[in-house]
């Protein structure tokens, strides 16, 4: 992923830190929730190394050999990428259901062209969303960002360098130019992180400041190797400074890995921590100081080896993890560690058999035109392969059994087709009404999509009894009076708070006979927040309604239900027999959330917590399909037909709660 300027052992070690962070986070290791910041380290390293490479060439020749530069980049990066992509195609064609292959194929074409970051910028999910976790090529977004950086950076540096003047004037002009990019790029990143989070995360302009930071480190700190260095450039020579810089940088990087997490707006200001940490570690290793302090850790042989294969490991780790989850969705720590080892083994094999021989090939280096032409052929062929795969998988997906599984995702309560659920950008309380409008009694269903999925089991009972039934719902909005960070928008879900407050006020004025309130238990709240936030919602509802039932959040599957069933139909019988579409309920919702809800409900005599989970997962096992009935329409929502079939069981639970 990162190319070298002048070789430094500590730089190899810093690559190792970056890739270990990324792999640990993507493997789901709880000790590294912020390991995704390893990508930020790679960006700063790229800025440092490529700026150094180009500045030395500019100082030596006065220009840049663009053909040679781009050929070297493609010679280094494309072979490993192409190999990984072809292997992923073959594996996915066997392991994934046809309709799951179609979106993968569209990403494949863009990945071959170094444009997949645009695909994810325009996608309807974020980097940390469940939908993104199933994309085999999600990690290629950063390769697209880097290649786009390589495309524009030489042009920019040549323009800044070509203004004339002596070496000092040219050096200062380069510094000023990169400083402007840093400040403007950081401002752009901050703006996009909140206004358009996907573009803020995936786009090259929002990451340009990190490359500029690396370039400034070279121009200011690496004066020992910079051909443009001038005697009056300030440079800290005291060994204590380098030691302090190294350990300070290590602290920032470690703190980012340990304490940043997916619920923060990112990159935003938080990206300054790993980026500044990487810059300080690079500075600490300049002027023969790489073997002191933290540099000693970085230059250990295992660290240097992992740094050497870091690009290859980055390529292989993510698809191995995603396909591993397909085969074993209830991954134990041991299985996760095995996937890490497998991905590293594939990376080492690819590096020594393909990447390294082509990278050091003197024949190719002497013929940049051949490298460029061959690379264009490979990229175009890969794009065609992606298009052909998408068409073929689309035809496979048209088989009747596969179409049936796709249609399961649309098996939702009728309320959604009637516009009852207001979109994420609106705080309007939209109420849907069913039954007799002048009925004496009113029952209300109030909650998010998980709570409201019980509509088809609850509403018929009241409608048959002559009641009016109202639906007040907003998807992904918890019935907990605590702010929530919503990954889909990359920010705090303020609209949810506004809608919830207005909805509670509406219900307090309505004074219905019965309220059913429910939401998923997977929101990232502490038990105390669940307890106190739920109590603040229940207080006005309990005062207004005759009875309030709090529906416990339903279990989550460890996999996508229809997807698993479709894969069982698609995969060879021997492979499909290795696993079943059943799993133990996931840790969320857990007992702590249930205890918090019951504690919140306890002070109110007319509030009860009802638990339908034993109906869904009898014997403690959640199945995608129970008998002839499909239970889940994704990994957490229940198919509406199955809910409707559970009316009697649901009312038995409610009767017991009275």
């Amino acid at each position: 992923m990162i190319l070298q300027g002048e070789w430094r052992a500590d730089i190899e070690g810093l690559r190792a830190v970056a890739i270990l962070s990324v792999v640990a986070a993507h493997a789901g290791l709880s000790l590294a929730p912020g390991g995704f910041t390893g990508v930020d380290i790679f960006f700063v390293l790229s800025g440092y190394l490529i700026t150094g490479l180009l500045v030395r060439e500019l100082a030596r020749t006065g220009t840049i050999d663009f053909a040679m530069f781009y050929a070297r980049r493609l010679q280094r990066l494309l072979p490993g990428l192409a190999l990984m992509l072809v292997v992923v195609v073959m594996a996915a064609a066997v392991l994934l259901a046809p309709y799951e292959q179609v979106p993968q194929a569209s990403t494949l074409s863009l990945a071959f062209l170094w444009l997949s970051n645009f695909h994810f910028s325009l996608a309807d999910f974020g980097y940390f969303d469940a939908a993104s976790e199933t994309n085999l090529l999600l990690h290629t977004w950063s390769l697209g960002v880097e290649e786009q950086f390589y495309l524009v950076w030489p042009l920019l540096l040549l323009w800044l360098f070509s203004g004339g003047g002596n070496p000092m004037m040219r050096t200062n002009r380069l510094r000023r130019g990169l400083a402007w990019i840093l400040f403007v790029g950081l401002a752009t990143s901050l703006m996009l992180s909140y206004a358009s989070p996907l573009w803020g995360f995936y786009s090259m302009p929002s990451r340009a400041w990190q490359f500029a930071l690396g370039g400034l480190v070279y121009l200011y700190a690496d004066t020992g190797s910079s051909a443009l260095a001038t005697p009056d450039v300030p440079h800290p020579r005291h060994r204590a400074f380098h030691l302090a810089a190294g350990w300070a940088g290590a602290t920032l990087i470690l703190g980012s890995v340990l304490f940043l997490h997916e619920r923060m707006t990112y990159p935003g200001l938080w990206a300054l921590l790993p980026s500044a940490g990487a810059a300080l570690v690079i500075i600490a290793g300049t002027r023969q100081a790489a073997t002191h302090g933290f540099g000693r850790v970085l230059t250990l042989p295992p660290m240097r080896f992992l740094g050497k294969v870091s690009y290859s490991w980055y390529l292989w780790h993510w698809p191995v993890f995603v396909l591993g989850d397909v085969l074993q969705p209830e991954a134990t720590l041991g299985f996760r560690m095995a996937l890490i080892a497998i991905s590293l083994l594939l990376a080492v094999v690819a590096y020594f058999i393909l990447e390294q021989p082509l990278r050091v090939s003197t024949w190719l280096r002497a013929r940049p035109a051949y490298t460029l032409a061959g690379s264009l052929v490979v990229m175009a062929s890969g794009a065609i392969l992606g298009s052909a795969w998408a068409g073929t998988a689309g035809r496979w997906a048209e088989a009747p059994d596969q179409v049936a599984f796709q249609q399961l995702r649309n098996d939702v309560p009728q309320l959604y087709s009637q516009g009852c659920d207001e979109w994420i950008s609106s705080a309007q309380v939209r109420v849907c009404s069913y039954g007799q409008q002048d009925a004496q009694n009113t029952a209300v269903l109030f909650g998010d999509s998980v709570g409201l999925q019980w509509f088809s089991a609850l509403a018929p009972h009241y409608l048959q009894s002559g009641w009016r039934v109202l639906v007040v719902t907003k998807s992904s909005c918890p019935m907990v009076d605590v702010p929530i960070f919503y990954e889909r928008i990359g920010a705090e879900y303020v609209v949810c708070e506004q809608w919830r407050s207005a909805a509670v006020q509406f219900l307090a004025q309505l004074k219905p006979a019965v309220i059913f309130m429910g939401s998923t238990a997977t929101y990232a709240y502490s038990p105390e927040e669940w307890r106190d936030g739920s109590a603040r919602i229940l207080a006005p509802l309990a005062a207004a309604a005759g009875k309030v039932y709090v529906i416990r959040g339903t279990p989550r599957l460890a996999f996508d239900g229809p997807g698993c069933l479709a894969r069982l139909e698609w995969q060879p019988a021997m492979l499909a027999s290795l696993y079943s579409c059943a799993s133990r309920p996931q840790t969320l919702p857990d007992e702590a959330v249930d205890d918090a809800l019951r504690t919140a409900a306890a002070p109110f005599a007319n509030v009860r917590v009802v638990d339908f989970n034993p109906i869904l997962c009898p014997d403690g096992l959640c199945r995608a399909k129970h008998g002839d009935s499909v239970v889940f329409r994704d990994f957490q929502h229940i198919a509406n037909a199955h809910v409707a079939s559970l009316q009697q069981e649901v009312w038995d639970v409610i009767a017991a709660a009275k």
Side-chain angles (χ1 to χ4, degrees), residues 80-238:
L81 175 68
L83 175 63
M84 181 274 294
L85 292 176
V86 170
V87 172
V88 164
V89 170
M90 294 188 293
V94 175
L95 295 176
L96 300 183
Y99 76 88
E100 294 177 312
Q101 296 178 34
V102 174
Q104 310 284 356
S106 63
T107 310
L108 176 72
S109 296
L110 294 173
F112 264 109
L113 299 174
W114 314 98
L115 296 172
S116 65
N117 59 315
F118 287 99
H119 170 77
F120 297 115
S121 295
L122 296 169
D124 195 25
F125 55 78
Y127 184 70
F128 306 110
D129 284 358
S132 69
E133 294 175 0
T134 61
N135 193 298
L136 290 163
L137 304 179
L138 176 67
H139 65 315
T140 62
W141 75 270
S142 65
L143 307 183
V145 168
E146 291 228 17
E147 198 66 23
Q148 292 151 30
F149 158 68
Y150 297 148
L151 186 66
V152 302
W153 208 246
L155 297 168
L156 176 66
L157 293 187
L158 179 61
W159 175 65
L160 291 172
F161 182 85
S162 301
N166 57 39
M168 180 186 298
M169 294 175 61
R170 291 180 173 183
T171 302
N172 289 334
R173 190 161 55 246
L174 285 170
R175 289 172 178 156
R176 287 195 300 270
L178 296 196
W180 272 107
I181 294 173
L182 190 154
F183 289 117
V184 173
L186 181 57
T188 300
S189 178
L190 290 173
M191 178 188 68
L192 289 176
S193 294
Y194 292 93
S196 182
L198 295 183
W199 283 101
F201 196 96
Y202 292 116
S203 69
M204 194 275 284
S206 70
R207 300 291 188 157
W209 68 272
Q210 294 174 306
F211 297 112
L213 175 61
L216 286 170
V217 169
Y218 178 83
L219 291 173
Y220 275 103
D222 208 346
T223 57
S225 59
S226 175
L228 290 180
T230 53
D232 62 331
V233 174
H235 182 80
R237 300 177 180 276
H238 200 279

Side-chain angles (χ1 to χ4, degrees), residues 477-538:
C477 186
M479 301 303 102
V480 184
D481 186 21
V482 178
I484 188 70
F485 182 91
Y486 188 17
E487 288 84 356
R488 187 170 186 174
I489 63 174
E492 185 177 309
Y493 196 5
V494 177
V495 171
C496 166
E497 299 174 40
Q498 297 169 343
W499 175 90
R500 188 175 54 222
S501 176
V504 170
Q505 184 177 4
F506 165 77
L507 295 177
Q509 295 172 351
L510 180 67
K511 300 186 183 303
V514 176
I515 296 176
F516 287 91
M517 183 184 84
S519 55
T520 181
T522 59
Y523 295 111
Y525 292 136
S526 68
E528 292 75 22
E529 289 174 324
W530 272 105
R531 181 195 65 210
D532 298 339
S534 298
R536 286 192 290 271
I537 297 292
L538 288 173

Side-chain angles (χ1 to χ4, degrees), residues 540-592:
L541 298 185
K547 182 77 74 173
V548 178
Y549 294 101
V550 180
I551 303 173
R552 184 182 179 185
T554 51
R556 290 168 47 129
L557 290 174
F559 50 84
D560 175 75
C564 184
L565 295 172
R567 288 193 293 270
L568 285 179
E569 290 288 333
W570 172 254
Q571 292 172 353
M574 182 177 297
L575 181 61
S577 66
L578 296 178
Y579 64 96
S580 63
C581 294
S583 70
R584 294 184 302 276
Q586 295 300 283
T587 55
L588 293 175
D590 58 18
E591 296 303 321

Side-chain angles (χ1 to χ4, degrees), residues 180-411:
W180 272 107
I181 294 173
L182 190 154
F183 289 117
V184 173
L186 181 57
T188 300
S189 178
L190 290 173
M191 178 188 68
L192 289 176
S193 294
Y194 292 93
S196 182
L198 295 183
W199 283 101
F201 196 96
Y202 292 116
S203 69
M204 194 275 284
S206 70
R207 300 291 188 157
W209 68 272
Q210 294 174 306
F211 297 112
L213 175 61
L216 286 170
V217 169
Y218 178 83
L219 291 173
Y220 275 103
D222 208 346
T223 57
S225 59
S226 175
L228 290 180
T230 53
D232 62 331
V233 174
H235 182 80
R237 300 177 180 276
H238 200 279
R239 183 169 178 264
F241 173 84
H242 292 281
L243 292 173
W247 289 116
T251 301
L252 288 175
I253 292 172
L254 181 62
S256 300
V257 171
L258 295 179
F259 299 112
L260 297 186
H261 52 77
E262 63 189 43
R263 295 182 301 279
M264 293 175 168
T265 299
Y266 203 86
L269 285 174
W270 293 112
L272 285 168
L273 298 180
S275 303
L280 287 171
V281 170
I282 296 171
I283 291 171
T286 59
R287 300 187 65 85
Q288 295 79 47
T291 57
H292 301 293
F294 185 57
R296 287 188 177 181
V297 177
L298 297 179
T299 54
L300 291 172
M303 297 294 285
R304 290 165 55 185
F305 176 78
L306 292 178
K308 188 187 298 288
V309 300
S310 60
Y311 172 64
S312 187
W313 198 7
Y314 184 84
L315 288 175
W316 288 98
H317 83 285
W318 181 255
V320 167
F321 291 169
V322 174
L323 292 175
D325 283 341
V326 169
L327 295 173
Q328 183 57 262
E330 291 186 282
T332 62
L333 178 60
F335 184 74
R336 284 286 179 181
M337 299 305 293
L339 292 180
I340 291 174
I342 291 170
S343 65
L344 179 57
L345 177 61
L346 289 171
V348 171
V349 171
Y351 176 82
F352 284 106
I353 290 182
L354 181 68
E355 290 181 42
Q356 184 65 2
L358 290 178
R359 180 185 184 185
V360 300
S361 171
T362 55
W363 190 89
L364 286 175
R365 289 198 177 197
R367 297 166 177 83
Y370 287 17
T371 300
L372 290 173
S375 298
L376 291 175
V377 169
V378 170
M379 292 161 59
S381 300
I384 294 172
L385 173 63
S387 178
W389 183 25
T392 302
R395 289 190 293 274
W396 291 338
E398 293 174 358
D401 57 342
Q402 294 295 322
V403 170
F405 290 122
Q406 297 176 60
Q407 292 175 341
L408 284 172
R409 302 190 185 281
N410 299 320
D411 187 14

